[in-house]
Amino acid sequence: SQQGEEDPQALSIQEGENATMNCSYKTSINNLQWYRQNSGRGLVHLILIRSNEREKHSGRLRVTLDTSKKSSSLLITASRAADTASYFCATDAQGGSEKLVFGKGTKLTVNP
Amino acid sequence: KAGVTQTPRYLIKTRGQQVTLSCSPISGHRSVSWYQQTPGQGLQFLFEYFSETQRNKGNFPGRFSGRQFSNSRSEMNVSTLELGDSALYLCASSLRGWSPGAAGYGYTFGSGTRLTVV
C-alpha cells in the first residue's frame, strides 16, 4: 500500500494565492521528499526534509515535517500558472531500503 | 550537466512481446532506481541498483527484471507483456551509496518511457 497519502487530491486556486498540500505516512522515515510532475512527464525533485528537521524553505516553497504525527505539508506561496502540476510526497523509510514510497499526489491547478 | 536520460520516450508493443528500456544516470551517480506509474496504482517501486548489484526489488512478477552495467547505465526488461503493463516507466539516479549519510540525497528522475501494450 502507499506509504504517503496526499490531501487534497485536487486543488484549484487563482494566481497569487498560496497552495497548501498535506501528506501523511505510516512508518519511521529517514527523510521525506516532495516532487512535481507536469502532465505525463518525469518527476522533478523539489525539496528534501530529513527526519530531524521541522521546517525547510526553498524559494517560494516551505515544507514542514511533524514526525510525531507522521505528516508533512508543502506550501507554495504566490502561486503562478506555471505551478500547475501534480505534487507527490515520497518517503524514504528507515532501514536502508533504498526506495521511495509515493503517495497518490495532489493535482494543483493555478488559474491565471 | 546532463540529466537522467531514458530511451525510448515512447513504445508500442503487442501482448506477449518483450521490451527493454534504457536509462543513463547522471555522471557520478551510482544508484539507479526504476518506478512504474499507472493511473490506478500510482508510482510503484520496481527495483534499485548500485554498483551493478540489485539492492531492493518491489512487488512485481518475475517478468520484470533489470540490470546495471559497470558505467552505471541500467536497463529494465519486461517479458511476455500484458495489457496491464502499459504505464510510464521512470528511472531515477542518486548519489546515494551505502553510507548512513546518504539519507540526505534526493533522486533525479528521467522523463520516462511511455509503454503502451496493445
Side-chain angles (χ1 to χ4, degrees), chain A residues 2 30-31 33 35 37 39-45 48 50 88 92-93 96-104, chain B residues 9 33 35 37 40-45 48 55-56 88 90 96-97 101 103-107 109-111 114:
Chain A
Q2 297 286 350
N30 281 323
N31 62 64
Q33 303 173 35
Y35 289 83
Q37 184 178 40
S39 181
R41 303 299 299 271
L43 299 165
V44 175
H45 181 261
L48 179 152
R50 298 187 192 218
F88 296 89
D92 190 343
S97 62
E98 305 300 338
K99 69 176 184 181
L100 294 177
V101 180
F102 285 88
K104 294 278 190 185
Chain B
R9 284 295 309 277
S33 306
Y35 291 82
Q37 186 177 28
Q41 298 300 315
L43 282 151
Q44 292 190 294
F45 172 78
E48 191 261 355
R55 295 197 292 188
N56 205 350
L88 180 66
L90 293 163
R96 292 175 69 91
Y105 293 113
Y107 295 79
F109 281 80
S111 295
R114 173 79 59 187

Side-chain angles (χ1 to χ4, degrees), chain B residues 35-36 44-47 57-64 89:
Chain B
Y35 291 82
Q36 181 197 65
Q44 292 190 294
F45 172 78
L46 279 158
F47 23 66
K57 189 177 192 302
N59 189 24
F60 279 83
R63 299 185 298 106
F64 291 80
Y89 289 88

Side-chain angles (χ1 to χ4, degrees), chain B residues 2-3 8 10 19 23 29 46 49 53 72 86 89 96 105 112 117-118:
Chain B
Y10 302 93
V19 67
C23 172
H29 286 195
L46 279 158
Y49 288 88
T53 300
S72 295
S86 295
Y89 289 88
R96 292 175 69 91
Y105 293 113
V117 182
V118 297

